């Protein structure tokens, strides 16, 4: 059955070489009870390990049923251990996190038995060794004798031809030892049992053959095989492979016994996931919020084309280094707009262009545009009552919403200081009336009100202060709001000739209040001057059609963001007929875009920074999983040895750890998603309080699935190296580890 010819085995540690076996030649019968006796260190365990295929000989040959093992590869040894060999160890080596039943089933699982067959056979064996009532216990709930019985049942599970027992009674009391030896003797009735023991008394009583070893050599054999009359049996081995399910059960059990630590690992692993989940949810929600906002407010932020374009931003920043923004003061200061001329760019709207735009609205995309406003020049004068002359005198020639005659002159800008106020919500969300009231009109009595809009430094244009309001900016630097509000002047539509025209036919204009752009608002509809509401311009258009001239501004209101993009493409196409430098080109301003693009840009930047942080925490959690797997490998070295002794392939060992990491990754993902959902509740409340946007953070289920997937993949990858280390552990060393 088994034949050892000239087996030698040496171990080298450092410079010292220990010859553990030295030319051992032995024949074993198909069934007999062999005991190997000898002093400690003489090579008994080494002999069993070599016979069991756990360790490999240096010289000689191990012949199994007539077949040499010289050409065996790992896979063959794994199959041999699983099908033909049953190991019983001194310290029974049960896997602590598996139940008694599962321990016995393990070898069967490796050889691919079905679950029901495994259970049937394991229960049968456990009943045979007298443990029928204990099959669901854990190894640590058993006595030493009971544990050794489980180990025997496990060794017999695959119905091996050879059972190898290394000091099976070494840690048992004498009564229990006898019981165990009775069991082993029964096994030997139809199997080859090779047992190592110190107890020569029991050896002589139970075994049928005694072999004595000394210094790695056989010194005595009580019953050697004289004639090698063994049948040349055909030697075939059944492949072993651990199913995924077995690996999952083993991993789950291990996870369960170390629940606290596993949860901690899962939590550590989830931190990166939480970070990314929160970022995804928030940027998602904000994107949605922005496009909703965009659509809602497009009406307030039309595409505008005006006769002169001004670089407001550049202008606003002029001379403000030493000034405090949003002062609490109740006075205004001078803003000398004559210095602003350089910020003007010509953008003269032609009839051709007006036709081009009206054609779009009327024919190309009537559904996509909710409104079109063409603002025309109005010939008019502002009149202020002169106390000395006791009559109204013109203070300036004004155009409502008008174009400058010469775009490059500051004069043009001055006339720009009469601006249509944005309507409704757009005004409320972007401007504060910091003094006085919002205008009300009374067209029947030709009475209209306007707001005076100061910039965020409370500045008012010099010309407005001097010419329109009648202040002397050379002697006065602070202008009380209370002195400004309530001031009135007349607006005379048409050419006013002093002494000829009748001032009393002019419209009454009163300053009803002071408005200032809200802190944080990036809308730049206008910054300085008078703001009237549409009642005034409507009144003029209706009552003085002759004084209304050509179009100087166009406002187009697309219904949604997509339509706005289409419109912009259409308007861009107009300029294709001109050189890039041509002054015939007409540029539009997309106020909604400058606003939302800026916000989007900020959000993108923040997201990138946060994602970088989250990525770092992902790396950290991966490293932690790797470390924890590594610790787990160190802790379970014995288990690795047992698995290998039962015939597990290296792959199977790696699979146990990999499966565990997959489960941990899955757990981390779930924990991460769950914690993120919890965290989103307070985060959303905070955002709602700060920005009045309810439920911004939303984790889409797609993202949740994606994150769990990422977590699984990361945990798997980070555990690969430790799992591979585990699979490479030498089973002999693993089993010797205490
Ligand atoms: P026994 O089981 O008879 O006590 P062993 O077979 O365990 O003896 O060991 C035989 C000799 O080989 C001993 O001297 C032991 O120290 C040495 N030995 C066994 N395994 C190793 C190993 N992995 N590395 C180094 N020396 C070893
Ligand atoms: Mg030993």
């Amino acid at each position: 059955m088994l034949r050892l010819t000239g087996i030698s085995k040496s171990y080298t540690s450092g410079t010292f070489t220990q010859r553990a076996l030295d030319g051992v030649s032995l024949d074993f019968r198909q069934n007999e009870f062999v005991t190997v006796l000898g002093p400690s260190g003489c090579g008994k365990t080494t002999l069993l390990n070599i016979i069991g295929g756990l360790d490999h000989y240096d010289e000689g040959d191990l012949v199994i049923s007539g077949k040499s093992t010289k050409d065996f590869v790992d896979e063959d040894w794994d199959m041999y251990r699983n099908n033909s060999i049953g190991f019983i160890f001194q310290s029974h080596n049960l896997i602590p996190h598996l139940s008694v039943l599962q321990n016995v089933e393990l070898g069967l699982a490796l050889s691919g038995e079905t679950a029901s067959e495994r259970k049937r056979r394991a229960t049968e064996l456990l009943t045979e060794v007298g443990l029928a009532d204990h099959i669901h216990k854990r190894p640590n709930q058993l006595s030493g004798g009971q544990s050794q019985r489980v180990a025997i049942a496990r060794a017999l599970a695959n119905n091996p031809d050879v059972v190898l027992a290394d000091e099976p009674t070494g840690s048992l009391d004498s009564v229990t030892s006898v019981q165990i030896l009775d069991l082993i003797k029964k096994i030997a009735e139809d199997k080859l049992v090779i047992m190592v023991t110190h107890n020569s008394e029991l050896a002589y009583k139970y075994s049928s053959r005694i072999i004595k070893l000394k210094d790695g050599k056989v010194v005595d054999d009580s019953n050697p095989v004289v004639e090698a009359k063994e049948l040349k049996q055909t030697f075939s081995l059944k492949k072993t492979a651990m199913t995924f399910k077995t690996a999952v059960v083993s991993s789950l059990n291990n996870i369960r016994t170390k629940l606290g630590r596993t949860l901690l690992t899962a939590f550590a692993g989830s931190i990166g996931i939480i970070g990314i989940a929160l970022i995804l949810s928030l940027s998602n929600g904000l994107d949605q919020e922005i496009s909703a906002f965009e659509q809602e407010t497009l009406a307030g932020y039309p595409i505008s084309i005006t006769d002169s374009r001004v670089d407001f931003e550049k202008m606003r920043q002029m001379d403000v280094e030493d000034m405090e923004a949003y002062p609490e003061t109740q006075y205004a200061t001078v803003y000398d707009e004559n210095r602003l001329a350089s910020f003007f760019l010509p953008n003269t709207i032609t009839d051709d262009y007006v036709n081009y735009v009206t054609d779009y609205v009327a024919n190309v995309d009537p559904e996509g545009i909710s409104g079109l406003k063409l603002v025309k020049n109005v010939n008019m004068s502002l009149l202020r009552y002169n106390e000395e002359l006791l009559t109204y005198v013109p203070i300036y020639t004004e155009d409502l919403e008008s174009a400058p005659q010469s775009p490059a002159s500051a004069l043009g800008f001055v006339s720009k200081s009469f601006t249509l106020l944005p309507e409704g919500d757009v005004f409320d969300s972007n401007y504060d009336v910091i003094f006085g009231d919002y205008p009300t009109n009374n067209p029947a009595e030709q009475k209209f009100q306007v707001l005076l809009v100061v910039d965020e430094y409370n500045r008012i244009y010099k010309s407005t202060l001097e010419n329109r309001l009648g202040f002397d900016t050379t002697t006065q630097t602070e202008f009380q709001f209370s002195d400004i509000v309530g001031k009135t002047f007349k607006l005379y539509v048409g050419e006013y000739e002093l002494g000829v025209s009748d001032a009393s036919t002019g419209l009454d204009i009163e300053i009803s209040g002071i408005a200032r752009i809200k802190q944080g608002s990036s809308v730049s509809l206008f910054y300085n001057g008078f703001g009237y509401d549409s009642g005034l311009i409507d009144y003029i258009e209706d009552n003085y059609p002759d004084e209304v001239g050509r179009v100087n501004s166009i406002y187009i209101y697309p219904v949604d963001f997509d339509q706005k993009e289409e419109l912009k493409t259409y308007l861009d196409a107009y300029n294709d007929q001109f050189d890039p430098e041509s002054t015939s080109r007409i540029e539009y301003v997309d106020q909604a875009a400058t606003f939302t693009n800026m916000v989007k840009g900020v959000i993108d930047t923040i997201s990138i920074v946060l994602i970088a942080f989250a990525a770092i925490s992902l790396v950290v959690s991966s490293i932690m999983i790797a470390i924890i797997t590594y610790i787990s490998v160190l802790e379970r070295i014995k288990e690795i040895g047992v698995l290998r002794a039962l015939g597990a392939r290296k792959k199977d060992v790696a699979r146990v750890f990999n499966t565990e990491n997959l489960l941990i990754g899955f757990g981390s993902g779930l924990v991460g998603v769950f914690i993120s959902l919890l965290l989103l509740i307070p985060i959303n409340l905070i955002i709602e309080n700060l920005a009045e946007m309810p439920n911004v953070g939303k984790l889409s289920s797609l993202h949740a699935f994606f994150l769990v997937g990422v977590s699984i993949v990361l945990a798997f990858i980070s555990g690969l190296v430790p799992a591979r280390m585990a699979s490479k552990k030498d089973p002999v060393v693993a089993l010797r580890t205490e």
Side-chain angles (χ1 to χ4, degrees):
M1 162 75 222
L2 263 185
R3 160 173 282 177
L4 279 66
T5 52
I7 295 277
S8 291
K9 173 76 182 176
S10 301
Y11 293 107
T12 305
S13 36
T15 53
F16 179 70
T17 300
Q18 172 75 39
R19 213 167 165 81
L21 289 178
D22 188 3
V24 173
S25 296
L26 283 168
D27 277 307
F28 295 100
R29 298 178 181 85
Q30 187 99 28
N31 59 291
E32 61 177 336
F33 191 169
V34 184
T35 300
V36 181
L37 287 176
S40 182
C42 71
K44 304 182 297 291
T45 298
T46 306
L47 179 67
L48 283 197
N49 284 345
I50 284 177
I51 294 174
L54 210 51
D55 207 350
H56 304 314
Y57 48 84
D58 299 334
E59 288 161 43
D61 194 4
L62 170 68
V63 183
I64 309 160
S65 303
K67 185 172 170 37
S68 165
T69 57
K70 275 188 174 156
D71 303 326
F72 265 32
V73 291
D74 277 353
E75 193 95 316
D76 298 315
W77 286 119
D78 293 336
M79 288 190 277
Y80 169 63
R81 281 199 306 279
N82 185 254
N83 304 166
S84 310
I85 303 291
F87 276 102
I88 302 167
F89 307 96
Q90 175 182 350
S91 50
H92 41 75
N93 287 343
L94 298 179
I95 296 174
H97 55 79
L98 294 180
S99 73
V100 165
L101 186 67
Q102 284 167 332
N103 262 285
V104 177
E105 282 184 5
L106 202 54
L108 290 164
L110 287 171
S111 58
E113 293 289 353
T114 62
S116 58
E117 173 60 17
R118 288 204 303 259
K119 185 157 187 199
R120 191 195 62 74
R121 177 128 180 84
T123 313
E124 183 185 288
L125 282 164
L126 283 165
T127 311
E128 266 175 46
V129 298
L131 290 177
D133 299 336
H134 305 273
I135 59 172
H136 295 301
K137 286 189 177 169
R138 301 259 153 200
N140 62 9
Q141 296 168 314
L142 300 177
S143 70
Q146 287 172 327
S147 298
Q148 201 55 292
R149 284 163 196 267
V150 178
I152 292 170
R154 181 176 65 184
L156 296 177
N158 271 327
N159 195 20
D161 300 320
V162 185
V163 172
L164 304 171
D166 195 354
E167 308 203 25
T169 59
S171 55
L172 302 178
D173 60 73
S174 54
V175 181
T176 320
S177 295
V178 168
Q179 291 169 350
I180 293 297
L181 279 173
D182 279 333
L183 254 175
I184 294 177
K185 190 177 163 85
K186 235 174 95 196
I187 295 166
E189 282 167 16
D190 59 352
K191 288 183 197 307
L192 167 59
V193 173
I194 305 173
M195 178 179 83
V196 166
T197 185
H198 271 115
N199 192 329
S200 53
E201 190 196 323
L202 285 176
Y204 282 107
K205 194 170 156 203
Y206 280 93
S207 50
S208 58
R209 177 179 173 190
I210 291 179
I211 294 169
K212 286 183 181 159
L213 271 188
K214 203 181 170 215
D215 297 335
K217 289 193 173 76
V218 177
V219 290
D220 188 36
D221 187 346
S222 71
N223 186 11
V225 178
V226 206
E227 357 165 13
K229 55 172 184 178
E230 322 123 299
L231 304 165
K232 284 239 185 260
Q233 293 163 324
T234 45
F235 179 69
S236 75
L237 291 171
K238 217 167 85 187
K239 254 191 175 341
T240 63
M242 189 183 271
T243 62
F244 181 64
K245 205 177 150 201
T246 308
V248 170
V249 169
S250 170
S251 312
L252 272 180
N253 280 320
N254 184 49
I255 286 172
R256 205 164 54 198
T257 52
K258 299 186 190 103
L259 199 60
R261 197 172 75 188
T262 311
L263 278 180
L264 207 66
T265 316
F267 179 66
S270 71
I271 290 172
I273 297 292
I274 294 172
I276 292 184
L278 291 183
I279 290 160
L280 282 177
S281 325
L282 288 179
S283 64
N284 243 5
L286 283 178
D287 270 355
Q288 284 178 18
E289 206 67 37
I290 284 169
S291 47
F293 175 77
E294 217 161 35
Q295 310 214 344
E296 263 173 38
T297 53
L298 265 177
Y301 304 89
I303 297 280
S304 58
I305 302 112
T306 49
D307 258 0
S308 65
R309 290 192 300 120
V310 181
D311 192 339
F312 278 105
E313 197 49 41
K314 219 165 138 194
M315 202 173 73
R316 239 156 42 82
Q317 293 309 315
M318 195 180 79
D319 300 334
V320 297
E321 289 86 18
D322 300 327
M323 301 185 72
E324 185 202 347
Y326 305 100
E328 293 287 337
T329 57
Q330 293 291 296
Y331 59 83
T333 55
V334 191
Y335 189 175
D336 185 356
E337 72 275 26
N338 288 311
R339 308 186 42 207
L340 302 175
S342 59
F343 299 112
F344 282 86
L345 302 166
N347 200 44
T348 311
I349 297 171
T350 58
D351 288 347
D352 194 26
Y353 192 75
V354 173
N355 290 338
Y356 184 74
V357 170
T358 41
D359 182 51
Y360 183 81
V361 177
N363 305 318
V364 181
D365 190 13
E367 260 91 70
I369 303 298
S370 63
L372 169 69
K373 197 158 96 185
L374 301 172
V375 179
K376 294 162 189 149
N377 282 355
V378 179
N379 187 17
M380 61 184 198
S381 305
L382 273 189
L383 311 176
R384 191 155 50 76
Y385 191 73
N386 189 306
E387 306 283 347
E388 283 147 38
L389 299 176
L390 294 174
T391 182
Y392 282 94
V393 292
I395 45 178
Y396 224 89
T397 302
E398 290 281 347
D399 299 329
L400 266 194
E401 275 284 356
S402 78
Q405 273 66 42
S406 146
S409 76
L411 202 77
F413 186 75
V414 170
S415 60
K416 198 69 194 146
S417 68
F418 240 95
T419 314
L420 185 64
L421 287 172
E423 312 237 302
D425 285 349
V426 183
F427 180 86
D428 293 338
S429 53
N430 292 294
Y431 291 91
D432 290 318
V433 176
I434 55 171
F435 194 92
D437 301 305
Y438 192 83
T440 50
N441 295 324
N442 187 352
E445 291 183 26
Q446 302 199 337
K447 286 190 192 314
F448 296 88
Q449 286 188 324
V450 294
L451 283 175
L452 181 62
V453 182
V454 295
D455 73 357
E456 70 257 48
Y457 304 98
N458 277 12
R459 292 183 299 182
I460 298 173
Y461 287 137
K462 195 174 168 189
S463 61
T464 306
L465 285 167
E466 287 182 347
N467 300 333
R468 293 177 185 74
L469 301 175
F471 290 109
D472 181 357
T473 60
T474 54
T475 57
Q476 197 179 349
T477 52
E478 293 172 3
F479 309 90
Q480 297 305 314
F481 290 158
S482 53
D483 294 340
I484 297 170
V485 170
K487 276 202 180 277
T488 58
F489 36 86
K490 286 239 179 227
L491 195 156
Y492 185 85
V493 184
E495 206 70 54
Y496 183 82
E497 287 175 55
L498 193 58
V500 178
S501 306
D502 179 7
S504 65
T505 61
L507 311 179
D508 286 320
I509 307 285
E510 183 187 12
I511 299 174
S512 66
I514 308 287
R516 184 168 69 190
I517 192 160
K518 272 195 161 97
Q519 201 160 0
S521 169
S522 49
V523 179
S524 55
L525 293 180
F526 68 101
Y527 285 107
N528 215 318
F530 297 107
Y532 60 90
D533 77 0
S534 57
L536 179 60
I537 188 75
D538 291 347
Y539 182 86
I540 294 173
E541 288 215 2
D542 291 348
N543 294 283
Y544 303 92
D546 292 346
E547 304 299 340
V548 178
R550 66 173 194 90
V551 173
N552 64 54
S553 325
I554 303 173
Y555 298 95
I556 316 168
Y557 300 80
V559 294
D560 62 29
F561 193 77
D562 290 340
Q563 298 294 346
K564 189 182 76 181
E565 292 308 310
E566 272 179 39
L567 170 67
K568 282 161 76 174
T569 313
Y570 179 81
L571 296 180
D572 288 336
Y574 178 84
N575 285 334
D576 289 348
Q577 56 182 311
F578 307 112
D579 293 348
E581 301 300 321
S582 165
T583 50
S584 300
R585 293 171 71 90
I586 297 172
E587 307 292 345
Y588 58 83
V589 177
D590 178 1
Q591 286 157 341
T594 35
F595 171 59
T596 52
N597 286 348
M598 196 190 78
V599 175
K600 262 193 179 142
V602 170
I603 289 172
D604 286 349
T605 317
I606 294 174
S607 295
I608 288 169
V609 171
L610 293 182
I611 283 174
F613 278 114
I616 292 169
S617 50
L618 270 186
V619 170
V620 172
S621 16
S622 304
I623 292 172
M624 282 191 53
I625 289 179
I627 292 171
I628 288 167
T629 313
Y630 177 68
I631 292 170
S632 179
V633 168
L634 293 184
E635 267 182 9
R636 291 161 74 188
I637 280 184
K638 205 59 172 272
E639 178 184 340
I640 296 169
V642 174
L643 280 171
R644 295 302 307 279
L646 287 173
R649 300 166 300 171
K650 288 179 180 169
K651 274 191 229 173
D652 298 324
V653 173
R655 183 175 263 184
V656 169
F657 287 93
N658 284 335
T659 310
E660 202 166 307
N661 290 330
L662 286 179
L663 292 172
I664 287 178
F666 181 64
S668 303
L670 288 186
V671 168
V673 167
F674 180 71
I675 294 180
S676 306
L677 290 176
L678 284 184
L679 286 177
L680 279 176
I681 298 171
I683 288 176
N684 279 340
L685 283 178
I686 291 170
I687 293 178
E688 189 171 350
N689 274 333
L690 290 180
E692 285 169 22
M693 292 189 288
N695 287 320
V696 171
K698 286 181 272 247
L699 185 62
S700 74
S701 44
L702 188 76
H703 282 155
F705 278 119
F706 164 76
L707 287 171
V708 173
V710 165
S711 174
I712 291 175
V713 169
L714 273 185
F716 179 75
I717 291 175
S718 36
L720 271 183
V721 171
R724 205 176 141 74
M725 278 170 40
S727 73
K728 288 212 159 155
K729 286 259 178 285
D730 182 347
V732 178
V733 176
L735 283 169
R736 276 181 197 266
T737 311
E738 277 316 317

